[in-house]
Amino acid sequence: MADMAIPQQVACSSKSHPGKCDESSDIRVHFGISEEEKAAVKNRGEHVLKALKNLGLDVKKGPVVSVLVSGGGLRAAIACQGVLSELSHVGLLDTVTYLAGVSGSTWCMSSLYTENDGWKDLGKMENELRRRLQEDSWMVSVSLDGLCVAAERDDYSLTDFWSYSAVYYLTKELLGGHLSHAREQSEMGTVPYPIFASINHDLKSSGKEKNLNAWFEFTPDWAGYSTPGAYVSTALCGSKFEGGKLVQQEPERDFSYLRAVCGSPLADINVILKTIWDFFKKFIHGSSTQEEMLLTDPEGITLKNLMGHLFNLVYTFLTDGDCLPTLKNLQVILTGDKYFSEAMTLINQMIEQWGQISRDQQKQLIQDLLAKSLNQDLLKQNTEDKLLTEKKNMYLMDAGSTINSAYPLVLPPIRSTDIILSFDFSAGDPFKTIKATEKYCKACNIPFPLVDDAKLDQEAKAPSDLYIFEGENAPVVMHFPLFNKVNCGSKDVIEQRHETYATFRLTNYSDDEVCQLLEDSKANVRNNKDCIFMKISELAKPAS
């Protein structure tokens, strides 16, 4: 859907929750995960160790476990609550480092991260969900009041309409809290670090969703594109930026709006960043005349070529590989290009010194190289690939329309996960997400277990409750189809469940239906808790 109004600058937030991330109001570039996230994950690791000891496992370090909860409308929101409740009940939730969601599952996640004590008593949150779905109702007056307030913003769009209509109608809840307010919990490591996923609409529409640049994430600290690494403070989601600088502060967009961004398969949104042009212009060295030359020069290397080598350099560095071959490839393709003389000087320096400098120094040089080469090339991309840079605004949409699970955000080069617990609440093929992820990883040269499509296709209509995929240098993927022959008993019951819990069902669920869905999702954890613990034990680092 098109926006009702096209703002001149894009949304991105406020002073409502000052913290470390608010110290800079600039659009920020960082290589890999942020320092704030590193600290949160480190603290979470201490909680993971305590949880493992409580489970009888004395180890030096636990594996990084990421729980992925897929899209699926209200079905996914309810099932997500069931999964998290049961993981807590069997003592495994505290072994989880990341919780990443798309679409309907983010509706559940937002409720939990809104409440300061939401994670302390998930049974209470489950009961509140049941009560709300039976007793509360969509209030037309409340919806209209909210829309009138939103319409006063420059960035008002159909995303606001979706938030106050469909999402509010289905969840019976309007959340006024903000994701930045979850920072205190996440930085202490008392809860899994949350990642809310969406995707760039233009790249998806052009068939380029198998591209790292297509994915956009929201965390308590930063919101932005993981690659090439352009972020704003999450507490500034709602404010206006120009040329990479904050020009007007606005109240931070709340969880209800975030729900609509992440869970709106029928609606696009106004963005968090003004344009890629505004961001990268900040990092160009030289006069405006030089910038104009970059924009008009039709020659030189293509973005695809340079981005491919830079991605390989980043990935090789993060996985402790040999970076010299990639640096030499960059040296070859940049030789003779007058716009990359500074980058060439730096590459020559890197090749000469690489084996003699520390890892921190290597990392800094890579960051410098990204600033000197990647950004200039993206300016040239204004004439070579106009999907992003020609538009006044970029648009984010429901990632459920692509892979329907946030695999790209927990895999290298962004994050390194040892075990992925993939809870799939999708309609139709219960293996579509993992098959799509394998293709995505092949396209992006990311290690991922091999997937036998033919075998999975044979079992799609009556799957088991757990599938384990393993491969060399790849994370262990434990995949749990929501409706299966273990918790449903037969193919006929599985089909009946899919009909009952259709994604776009607009009639209210009865309490019996809600309880049945909660039970089905819990059973997938309860029946496989020993297997999950066994994999955690195998990948944990021994105490001695």
Side-chain angles (χ1 to χ4, degrees), residues 487-532:
N487 62 10
C488 292
S490 70
K491 178 181 173 182
D492 290 341
V493 175
I494 293 173
E495 291 177 352
Q496 185 181 43
R497 290 280 204 278
H498 280 294
E499 291 177 6
T500 300
Y501 301 104
T503 303
F504 295 107
R505 169 175 163 174
L506 294 179
T507 55
N508 293 330
Y509 288 159
S510 68
D511 188 52
D512 286 344
E513 288 173 331
V514 173
C515 288
Q516 182 63 65
L517 186 50
L518 287 167
E519 172 55 29
D520 286 344
S521 59
K522 289 180 179 182
N524 290 333
V525 175
R526 184 170 59 247
N527 294 336
N528 295 290
K529 64 182 187 298
D530 293 337
C531 191
I532 296 172

Side-chain angles (χ1 to χ4, degrees), residues 136-163:
D136 292 354
S137 59
W138 180 66
M139 303 289 291
V140 177
S141 58
V142 173
S143 180
L144 289 176
D145 287 345
L147 283 171
C148 288
V149 172
E152 296 177 0
R153 299 181 61 109
D154 291 340
D155 58 347
Y156 176 65
S157 73
L158 280 181
T159 303
D160 294 283
F161 184 81
W162 182 263
S163 170

Side-chain angles (χ1 to χ4, degrees), residues 60-109:
K60 181 179 180 181
K61 183 180 180 182
V64 174
V65 179
S66 293
V67 167
L68 302 186
V69 279
S70 81
L74 186 58
R75 175 187 65 248
I78 297 170
C80 179
Q81 178 68 61
V83 163
L84 296 175
S85 293
E86 193 63 20
L87 283 171
S88 177
H89 180 70
V90 301
L92 291 174
L93 185 60
D94 283 336
T95 69
V96 174
T97 299
Y98 289 106
L99 174 62
V102 304
S103 198
S105 284
T106 65
W107 300 350
C108 169
M109 290 171 58

Side-chain angles (χ1 to χ4, degrees), residues 132 142-143 146 163-164 167-168 171-177 256 259:
R132 186 173 70 247
V142 173
S143 180
S163 170
Y164 285 99
V167 178
Y168 173 29
T171 63
K172 306 296 187 292
E173 182 180 41
L174 283 174
L175 296 175
S256 287
R259 280 178 161 185

Side-chain angles (χ1 to χ4, degrees), residues 21 83-84 92 103 107 131 163 189 211 263 270 291 294 323 348 359 378 400 404 408 419 427 517 541:
C21 296
V83 163
L84 296 175
L92 291 174
S103 198
W107 300 350
R131 184 208 63 76
S163 170
N211 183 320
N270 280 321
E291 291 177 13
L294 283 171
C323 294
N348 291 335
R359 184 168 175 81
L378 278 175
N404 200 31
I419 300 173
L517 186 50
K541 291 185 179 180

Side-chain angles (χ1 to χ4, degrees), residues 296-309:
T296 57
D297 177 28
E299 300 178 354
I301 64 172
T302 64
L303 175 66
K304 180 179 179 182
N305 194 10
L306 179 60
M307 281 292 289
H309 287 292

Side-chain angles (χ1 to χ4, degrees), residues 435-492:
K435 290 187 290 188
T437 300
E438 186 198 29
K439 292 179 175 62
Y440 168 89
C441 288
K442 283 182 178 178
C444 296
N445 297 314
I446 297 171
F448 195 77
L450 292 176
V451 174
D452 188 339
D453 286 15
K455 181 179 179 182
L456 295 181
D457 288 343
Q458 291 176 355
E459 300 188 24
K461 292 187 177 180
S464 186
D465 60 346
L466 171 60
Y467 292 82
I468 301 177
F469 302 89
E470 299 178 87
E472 186 176 359
N473 299 321
V476 174
V477 179
M478 306 183 75
H479 186 74
F480 306 82
L482 175 57
F483 301 128
N484 53 73
K485 59 188 178 184
V486 178
N487 62 10
C488 292
S490 70
K491 178 181 173 182
D492 290 341

Side-chain angles (χ1 to χ4, degrees), residues 159 198-202 214-218 225 260-261 264 267-273 394-398:
T159 303
S198 62
I199 196 165
N200 184 291
H201 169 267
D202 294 311
W215 287 80
F216 192 100
E217 65 178 49
F218 299 85
Y225 291 98
V261 172
S264 54
D268 299 339
I269 77 162
N270 280 321
V271 282
I272 307 280
L273 302 174
M394 295 183 297
Y395 298 90
L396 302 179
M397 66 180 296
D398 190 332

